Amino acid sequence: MHASNNMPTSAQRLTDIYQRIENSAKRYGPGGVIPKLVAVSKTIPSAEIAPVLDMGQRIFGENRVQEAQRKWPELKKHYQDIELHLIGPLQSNKVKDAVGLFDVIQSVDREKLARALFGEISRQGKGVTCFVQVNIGLEHQKSGVLPDDVAPFVNMCKHDIGLKISGLMCIPPAGEAAGPYFALLHQLAKGLNINLLSMGMSSDFETGIEMGATHVRVGTAIFGARDH
Ligand SMILES: *Cc1c(COP(=O)(O)O)cnc(C)c1O
């Protein structure tokens, strides 16, 4: 692979993202806590993920179970302490594989899935952190629990199923200012004593941090456009 001289490498872009995260956290973040960067490596081949691993980045996000299974077991042989996040929709028939591979599942969005996850996490005896995905902009084409249903859903997970929900995740509507949506997600989490907030992508992660994100999910700004 040849990088042309005037194009920044993924390693250079990563350094820039770390700096911007730190600056945003300093300016706006509560208590100076630096949010975690989830490097979104969906569609990116292992050979292009390796330089980012070599930089010390250890938290990655994938949106498809099968694609992640093709890449990560091999990468995990060469790099220790990887934390994998599932950030895409999860079918019930893939729950076993997902629990086996992922450390964090950010896309819990329905009762059937929550029950399957609880059963599989218990069977495998593995710690998996669960986030509820919230359809923050009430968009028909997007998955996620509607804002009004988040409290009953989280309580149902906790009391009826036994599944602890540690975080909320959202993808705000494209082409709109993300700030008000992130503020709403923060407010929902606060009311439920939920500490983790996954909000902000390449174009708006600084806004996410400004609104209290603990996790930002950044793909394009690290790996470049996904043209694969
Ligand atoms: C692809 C994806 C991202 C990363 O998007 P970029 O704009 O490339 O940073 C973040 N979150 C989710 C849920 C995604 O599917």
Side-chain angles (χ1 to χ4, degrees):
M1 194 184 63
H2 300 272
S4 72
N5 289 333
N6 52 8
M7 280 258 290
T9 63
S10 57
Q12 288 164 336
R13 285 190 290 244
L14 184 68
T15 305
D16 174 59
I17 300 287
Y18 285 146
Q19 193 59 59
R20 286 167 63 191
I21 288 174
E22 201 176 306
N23 290 346
S24 305
K26 262 190 214 141
R27 270 184 312 214
Y28 311 108
V33 178
I34 309 286
K36 289 187 174 182
L37 172 63
V38 181
V40 176
S41 50
K42 64 186 186 195
T43 79
I44 306 299
S46 298
E48 290 175 41
I49 300 173
V52 170
L53 281 157
D54 289 334
M55 291 284 292
Q57 174 66 26
R58 283 296 177 271
I59 309 176
F60 290 84
E62 291 279 350
N63 70 335
R64 292 210 168 92
V65 176
Q66 272 172 315
E67 181 191 342
Q69 278 182 312
R70 281 197 303 270
K71 299 189 306 199
W72 287 97
E74 187 60 28
L75 285 167
K76 280 181 173 184
K77 289 183 194 161
H78 304 281
Y79 298 91
Q80 312 302 309
D81 304 321
I82 286 167
E83 182 181 307
L84 266 193
H85 292 233
L86 180 63
I87 59 170
L90 178 56
Q91 309 299 316
S92 297
N93 63 355
K94 299 247 172 64
V95 163
K96 188 178 174 198
D97 291 340
V99 168
L101 184 62
F102 289 94
D103 304 289
V104 181
I105 293 178
Q106 295 203 8
S107 51
V108 181
D109 63 356
R110 58 198 190 279
E111 180 174 352
K112 188 182 174 204
L113 175 60
R115 289 193 186 279
L117 280 169
F118 178 77
E120 197 54 43
I121 288 168
S122 310
R123 259 190 296 281
Q124 296 191 25
K126 192 184 162 210
V128 176
T129 303
C130 292
F131 286 52
V132 165
Q133 181 172 348
V134 181
N135 186 350
I136 203 74
L138 295 83
E139 295 176 279
H140 296 297
Q141 76 280 15
K142 277 207 181 114
S143 44
V145 177
L146 293 172
D148 282 349
D149 299 334
V150 171
F153 182 75
V154 166
N155 287 322
M156 187 268 302
C157 285
K158 184 175 170 187
H159 299 297
D160 299 349
I161 301 177
L163 185 73
K164 180 180 155 68
I165 300 299
S166 305
L168 300 181
M169 180 269 254
C170 77
I171 308 166
E176 283 184 48
Y181 294 104
F182 292 159
L184 178 57
L185 195 75
H186 190 167
Q187 197 187 323
L188 283 171
K190 211 170 162 191
L192 289 162
N193 265 322
I194 287 176
N195 295 323
L196 304 180
L197 274 177
S198 172
M199 49 191 204
M201 320 204 313
S202 290
S203 59
D204 55 16
F205 68 88
E206 284 151 318
T207 307
I209 294 169
E210 199 174 323
M211 299 291 162
T214 61
H215 294 71
V216 293
R217 311 177 309 270
V218 178
T220 313
I222 298 169
F223 294 104
R226 286 180 291 273
D227 51 1
H228 305 276

